Amino acid sequence: MNLVDKTKKTFALTTPLYYVNDLPHIGSAYTTIAADVVARFQRLLGRSVLLVTGTDEHGQKIQRTAESKGLPPKKFCDEMSTGFISLWQLLEIKYDRFIRTTDPRHEALVKEFFQRVWSNDDIYLGQQKGWYCVSCEEFKEERELLEGHRCPIHPNKEAEWRDEQNYFFRLSKYQSQLEKLYQSQPDFIQPETRRNEVLNFVKQGLQDFSISRVNVEWGFPVPADPNHTLYVWFDALLGYVTALLEPDEEPNLENALAKWWPINLHLIGKDILRFHAVYWPAMLMSADLPLPERVFGHGFLTKDGQKMGKSLGNTLDPVALTRNYGADAVRYYFLKEIEFGKDGDFNEVRFINVLNADLANDLGNLLNRTLNMVKKYCAGNLPSITTEDIPIDNPLKVIGLHLGEQVKIAYEALAFNQACDAILKIVQASNKFIDEQAPWSLYKKGQQQATEAVLYAVLESVRLAAYLLSPVIPNISSDIYQQLGFEIDFNEQSQTAIVAPFDIHGTWGVLSGDQKLGDPRPVFKRIETPK
Ligand code: MSP
């Protein structure tokens, strides 16, 4: 079956499908924000983008949590998945698909996939003995566990001993094919440190892993043997495929893979790297399907330097944080302050300082005072100015002419902090420029044209900064754009109509003098430091 047409210019990316045993935590928000930023940037480039997110609803962990709440699992999942949807709304996440693994269409796809792997003789019945962490939904090697067989990721939970008949997937058969993949596609796993982790793990020799469970009812029955329930990960990873179906399409692999496959980017946290960079490609190889292009494993967030956890009582609630400070603030802090791929920390004082410095002072005040000067010195607009009037060695023009390209490279490499830093440089240079050029005294001296040239260069730099930051802070960017007289809302980008394409808006010199500027109003209110 020829399932993929590689000539299509589409960009599909995924977040993990989040477990619904609990409310969304800041880690889920972090991955999803990053994915949304990538999707928004790709849309600005004019690509046809599909952002997939959703929830992973089967397995023992969910079954037990639902039981402990006295709810039937499906009802419990229905309630919990809405928590994710509303957080994504609050955070301005513009996803295209929200897949729930309990979606009836999903079962049809999982069955068909299972059948392909089964026909390839890659599934067999065997005895599974080992320590299982229900919170990870994963068997652990004895050597990985802490004292008392506690899981290193969930140190307050003991892994449980299992000795049962399970179906196994022949992962070991794919050892050399996987090694070839990592060699021939060095960018398959990013960043480099994660790639090395995977290479080391694979080098130790891959073992087959069990893909069915007994005594777990909440999941799909194994097609070949309904006494077994399919292992949650074997089911969940395929959620990425089911999500690609058009809403009314018949659920089969051919339909699901027709437009968006292979996925260009799986964004995940480092704890689920093995599933995405080892198990998943091997499963796809077995089913004879093309592989995703890239898996990026980001780091973990800590709070005030400490690992976050319910038992430690130091979790950071993304809903409360976003309600308090707004979507743009949360999005900006995590992407600007943390190198994507490395671990990073949340600290409320630092959070407030960064937002005040960058968004309220450097960016917000700059726009505000410049617009006020235009009002005062130029009766509200800059009629006689065009970009050609600004000399080529104007320091802002010098930075601005290369900024778009530089930022594009950073976004494509998922170096969000570098993108933000580069953008902030033109904002800071603009503040310096306006102070040095002192348009208020130029005006007093009657140098109208020089006054206008300074104000134009600054406003154009603010515009470019707002444009390039729009994937990260879409509300503030839209507000800035509107104050600069554009009828553009960066939250209204759609697949078919790109409101402000990168090849036009991503360069310096877009503002025209006769642009009708709006009334200045603060774009980001300074946050008071709590006592
Ligand atoms: N259901 C699986 C994924 C299946 S994908 C087919 C799962 N779900 S999860 O809800 O537990 O994981 C959510 C994501 O949050 C993972 O990418 C994980 O790395 C991330 N994080 C969990 N805690 C985190 C931090 N403290 N910091 C950053 N990300 C963290 O795994």
Side-chain angles (χ1 to χ4, degrees):
M1 182 169 19
N2 183 16
L3 288 166
V4 175
D5 173 1
K6 285 218 158 200
T7 58
K8 288 181 176 161
K9 287 211 172 77
T10 52
F11 191 92
L13 76 164
T14 66
T15 72
L17 307 183
Y18 302 109
Y19 285 130
V20 287
N21 61 303
D22 211 340
L23 295 170
H25 54 72
I26 196 71
S28 331
Y30 182 48
T31 329
T32 311
I33 291 169
D36 184 57
V37 170
V38 175
R40 283 172 183 265
F41 189 73
Q42 292 289 332
R43 287 189 196 110
L44 293 180
L45 292 181
R47 299 203 175 118
S48 187
V49 176
L50 193 83
L51 170 56
V52 171
T53 188
T55 42
D56 182 356
E57 306 189 353
H58 287 135
Q60 187 150 31
K61 171 156 73 172
I62 312 288
Q63 182 179 317
R64 280 191 188 167
T65 318
E67 273 163 16
S68 74
K69 311 256 178 208
L71 287 173
K74 178 63 169 49
K75 188 162 190 300
F76 172 69
C77 294
D78 289 347
E79 281 174 18
M80 297 302 285
S81 64
T82 60
F84 287 82
I85 293 174
S86 50
L87 176 59
W88 303 154
Q89 273 167 0
L90 205 58
L91 277 168
E92 303 282 8
I93 307 294
K94 301 285 177 219
Y95 57 82
D96 301 286
R97 298 283 157 82
F98 189 97
I99 178 70
R100 297 180 55 193
T101 55
T102 49
D103 182 331
R105 295 174 311 162
H106 182 51
E107 185 167 8
L109 263 119
V110 171
K111 264 192 186 157
E112 192 184 339
F113 186 88
F114 182 94
Q115 210 50 55
R116 286 173 78 104
V117 177
W118 178 269
S119 310
N120 204 13
D121 195 26
D122 281 340
I123 296 173
Y124 64 91
L125 196 59
Q127 192 70 20
Q128 171 76 62
K129 282 188 193 181
W131 295 100
Y132 192 71
C133 171
V134 176
S135 296
C136 292
E137 292 281 13
E138 185 180 19
F139 277 101
K140 301 278 169 180
E141 300 286 329
E142 182 107 38
R143 63 185 149 83
E144 290 177 87
L145 294 170
L146 308 174
E147 223 185 287
H149 295 111
R150 283 170 303 115
C151 164
I153 301 174
H154 304 95
N156 56 337
K157 304 258 169 66
E158 273 180 35
E160 300 171 15
W161 177 252
R162 296 285 152 82
D163 182 358
E164 59 185 42
Q165 259 205 338
N166 283 171
Y167 283 92
F168 282 75
F169 171 68
R170 252 183 248 285
L171 181 66
S172 54
K173 182 171 144 188
Y174 293 93
Q175 170 102 23
S176 67
Q177 248 175 284
L178 284 170
E179 281 170 340
K180 270 192 211 125
L181 163 72
Y182 307 140
Q183 290 311 324
S184 64
Q185 262 177 261
D187 292 342
F188 180 69
I189 307 162
Q190 289 180 327
E192 190 67 23
T193 46
R194 305 267 177 269
R195 177 170 188 265
N196 292 336
E197 270 170 42
V198 171
L199 294 184
N200 284 335
F201 171 73
V202 173
K203 205 161 64 191
Q204 290 170 31
L206 291 174
Q207 289 176 10
D208 299 346
F209 68 94
S210 67
I211 57 162
S212 78
R213 299 288 180 266
V214 286
N215 308 319
V216 178
E217 272 151 37
W218 184 233
F220 297 135
V222 169
D225 181 350
N227 292 324
H228 287 248
T229 299
L230 203 60
Y231 172 42
V232 58
W233 271 99
F234 200 89
D235 147 359
L237 286 162
L238 283 158
Y240 295 142
V241 177
T242 307
L244 306 181
L245 284 167
E246 294 300 322
D248 302 320
E249 232 169 11
E250 201 195 317
N252 59 50
L253 279 174
E254 187 158 11
N255 284 341
L257 302 176
K259 178 160 185 202
W260 297 100
W261 193 261
I263 301 281
N264 301 81
L265 173 65
H266 287 305
L267 275 180
I268 53 163
K270 63 181 181 180
D271 55 328
I272 53 175
L273 184 64
R274 216 175 271 181
F275 291 102
H276 286 80
V278 184
Y279 295 9
W280 181 223
M283 285 160 61
L284 290 164
M285 285 170 182
S286 168
D288 196 20
L289 297 177
L291 308 182
E293 256 172 38
R294 182 177 172 201
V295 176
F296 193 104
H298 65 68
F300 257 43
L301 303 175
T302 52
K303 188 168 171 224
D304 306 318
Q306 282 200 314
K307 196 177 151 142
M308 271 182 264
K310 272 202 168 159
S311 52
L312 294 164
N314 69 340
T315 51
L316 180 61
D317 173 13
V319 174
L321 191 70
T322 315
R323 289 228 167 95
N324 266 344
Y325 297 109
D328 285 9
V330 176
R331 296 166 65 103
Y332 185 78
Y333 176 82
F334 286 108
L335 296 192
K336 155 83 193 316
E337 277 301 288
I338 298 166
E339 181 181 335
F340 201 60
K342 296 230 169 101
D343 291 348
D345 191 49
F346 177 86
N347 169 277
E348 196 162 10
V349 174
R350 204 162 96 237
F351 176 85
I352 293 172
N353 289 343
V354 166
L355 298 171
N356 281 345
D358 293 1
L359 302 184
N361 289 354
D362 286 354
L363 184 62
N365 281 353
L366 176 66
L367 172 72
N368 205 258
R369 68 181 179 135
T370 314
L371 278 179
N372 274 315
M373 286 186 229
V374 175
K375 257 184 132 174
K376 220 155 124 191
Y377 309 142
C378 323
N381 58 5
L382 307 161
S384 57
I385 287 281
T386 69
T387 176
E388 284 81 38
D389 299 324
I390 310 292
I392 192 75
D393 61 352
N394 174 296
L396 302 185
K397 194 171 186 175
V398 169
I399 304 176
L401 287 176
H402 301 284
L403 188 62
E405 206 41 44
Q406 194 187 345
V407 168
K408 177 173 177 236
I409 293 168
Y411 274 127
E412 285 186 329
L414 310 186
F416 307 112
N417 62 332
Q418 284 178 23
C420 293
D421 283 344
I423 301 166
L424 255 277
K425 289 244 161 65
I426 200 170
V427 174
Q428 285 150 359
S430 301
N431 276 303
K432 187 163 168 257
F433 182 71
I434 205 164
D435 289 343
E436 283 170 0
Q437 298 293 314
W440 46 91
S441 43
L442 292 173
Y443 177 72
K444 260 195 211 144
K445 286 185 222 149
Q447 298 181 13
Q448 185 62 24
Q449 233 187 335
T451 310
E452 287 181 8
V454 172
L455 297 178
Y456 175 92
V458 172
L459 284 184
E460 172 55 13
S461 302
V462 173
R463 182 208 60 78
L464 181 61
Y467 179 76
L468 296 172
L469 279 174
S470 69
V472 182
I473 48 167
N475 298 314
I476 294 176
S477 292
S478 301
D479 199 357
I480 293 176
Y481 250 60
Q482 283 153 19
Q483 291 186 47
L484 291 175
F486 295 93
E487 278 177 31
I488 287 178
D489 181 342
F490 290 102
N491 285 315
E492 295 297 314
Q493 295 273 11
S494 79
Q495 294 285 9
T496 43
I498 302 141
V499 286
F502 183 82
D503 49 9
I504 298 172
H505 285 250
T507 44
W508 202 89
V510 169
L511 266 184
S512 70
D514 53 13
Q515 180 97 349
K516 179 117 191 47
L517 301 173
D519 275 334
R521 54 174 189 270
V523 291
F524 189 85
K525 211 167 144 263
R526 211 187 143 72
I527 309 166
E528 294 309 320
T529 318
K531 297 267 167 349

